[in-house]
Amino acid sequence: MNLAFWTNHDKTGKQLSRLGEFLLALPMVFFGVMHLTHGRGVAKIVPSWMPWRLFWAYFTGAALIAAGISIMARKHTRLAATLLGAMLLLFVFLIHLPSMVLSIAHHPGDFNILWSYNGTGGVNNALKDLALTTSALILAAGPTDPELNSSRQGGMVLGAIFAAIMALYGIEHLVYRGFTPGIPSWTLVSFWIPWRLFWGYSTGVALLSSGVSLLINKEARTAAVALGLMILVVAGCTYGFRALGDQGNIGELMNTAKDIGIAGGALILSGRLPKGHESS
């Protein structure tokens, strides 16, 4: 099957983009439910200087559910996606970055602390939230209009950020061999996966090559679709092995849900790329 042909087919491209919207929105509803059912635990992550921490935990949960349902129902999609992207970006700046600064302050000689669970998951988790942020904003931007230079430039910047994150994950796979295949988890592999190193290196190469293809606009649509489908399949399979190894806890389920949302972002991006980005 010629993937480039199918990604350039208007109807198929729209269906894949719509699938991406669903994959992005569904985890948001799941996260929102988790905020409402585990509000006191979520409140502990809210910055200590913010008043009414439990209120913000519940408010964020309700907002995530509302955004996810709005996107799935295609009601006020751009507004919902814009607000979702803004909220996720606040998570990066108000939660992840302060956590990593504290980690460096407490463990200045151990840079690897940033790649492990330090309360919010370190760099890997921060980058996941940033990738979800760009996914939501790409959806909010709508199809790229070549006649609107600002729209086109904005879409290119968001796509470049998303692609750079994927490429960085790919490099990380080639340097650190202990991460799960696909988008690296915040924890190292401590369960059985057949041919783990092979799949780790393979998905690392796939992430890196797809990210580079998007950055240089070479077979970009095909790369975005292949990237989204690869992340989706590998995330599901990896979580399946975690569950078989009795490690399918709520934290890892939420981690996998983020991967699914990022897979949706890649498919949304594929539908936002003009046909001129697909080389022959």
Side-chain angles (χ1 to χ4, degrees), residues 35 39-48 53 94-96 117 119-120:
H35 275 66
R40 295 192 180 279
V42 175
K44 296 177 181 178
I45 304 176
V46 176
S48 58
R53 296 169 76 187
L94 297 181
I95 298 175
H96 292 295
Y117 186 81
T120 57

Side-chain angles (χ1 to χ4, degrees), residues 57-81:
Y58 288 137
F59 176 84
T60 300
L64 287 167
I65 293 173
I69 292 176
S70 180
I71 292 171
M72 285 192 286
R74 284 196 156 179
K75 298 294 184 181
H76 308 291
T77 302
R78 287 194 174 185
L79 175 61

Side-chain angles (χ1 to χ4, degrees), residues 78-96:
R78 287 194 174 185
L79 175 61
T82 299
L83 294 176
L84 175 62
M87 183 168 64
L88 292 172
L89 188 60
L90 286 175
F91 293 170
V92 175
F93 283 104
L94 297 181
I95 298 175
H96 292 295

Side-chain angles (χ1 to χ4, degrees), residues 3-280:
L3 186 58
F5 171 81
W6 290 106
T7 54
N8 271 323
H9 192 277
D10 286 339
K11 183 178 180 180
T12 305
K14 290 178 180 179
Q15 290 173 340
L16 289 170
S17 182
R18 179 58 181 146
L19 173 61
E21 294 174 20
F22 180 81
L23 293 176
L24 175 64
L26 186 60
M28 298 304 119
V29 176
F30 171 66
F31 295 145
V33 171
M34 290 297 100
H35 275 66
L36 298 182
T37 57
H38 297 75
R40 295 192 180 279
V42 175
K44 296 177 181 178
I45 304 176
V46 176
S48 58
W49 52 266
M50 293 182 65
W52 313 310
R53 296 169 76 187
L54 185 59
F55 163 79
W56 289 114
Y58 288 137
F59 176 84
T60 300
L64 287 167
I65 293 173
I69 292 176
S70 180
I71 292 171
M72 285 192 286
R74 284 196 156 179
K75 298 294 184 181
H76 308 291
T77 302
R78 287 194 174 185
L79 175 61
T82 299
L83 294 176
L84 175 62
M87 183 168 64
L88 292 172
L89 188 60
L90 286 175
F91 293 170
V92 175
F93 283 104
L94 297 181
I95 298 175
H96 292 295
L97 288 182
S99 175
M100 287 186 285
V101 169
L102 288 175
S103 294
I104 294 174
H106 294 158
H107 304 272
D110 186 10
F111 183 73
N112 285 335
I113 189 67
L114 296 181
W115 269 266
S116 64
Y117 186 81
N118 59 16
T120 57
V123 169
N124 279 340
N125 201 28
L127 289 176
K128 287 191 181 191
D129 277 9
L130 186 57
L132 289 171
T133 298
T134 57
S135 299
L137 295 179
I138 289 169
L139 174 59
T144 301
D145 188 345
E147 295 183 0
L148 297 177
N149 191 51
S150 60
S151 172
R152 184 179 181 184
Q153 288 181 344
M156 289 176 63
V157 170
L158 291 169
I161 294 172
F162 185 91
I165 294 171
M166 297 302 106
L168 181 58
Y169 277 140
I171 294 172
E172 188 177 344
H173 262 300
L174 302 180
V175 176
Y176 298 94
R177 296 179 294 175
F179 289 118
T180 55
I183 297 181
S185 173
W186 57 45
T187 55
L188 300 179
V189 175
S190 57
F191 55 93
W192 179 80
I193 293 180
W195 310 302
R196 180 176 63 81
L197 287 179
F198 169 78
W199 292 117
Y201 284 130
S202 296
T203 55
V205 170
L207 287 165
L208 178 59
S209 60
S210 297
V212 171
S213 294
L214 289 168
L215 285 170
I216 66 174
N217 295 332
K218 179 69 174 179
E219 303 291 344
R221 276 192 167 190
T222 302
V225 171
L227 176 65
L229 296 179
M230 184 274 290
I231 293 173
L232 180 63
V233 171
V234 174
C237 291
T238 300
Y239 183 76
F241 284 113
R242 282 192 183 277
L244 289 173
D246 294 324
Q247 296 184 23
N249 56 50
I250 190 65
E252 292 300 342
L253 181 58
M254 295 183 72
N255 191 45
T256 301
K258 288 190 178 186
D259 295 353
I260 293 172
I262 293 170
L267 295 179
I268 293 170
L269 177 59
S270 74
R272 297 304 188 263
L273 294 169
K275 287 186 178 181
H277 279 61
E278 188 72 45
S279 302
S280 58

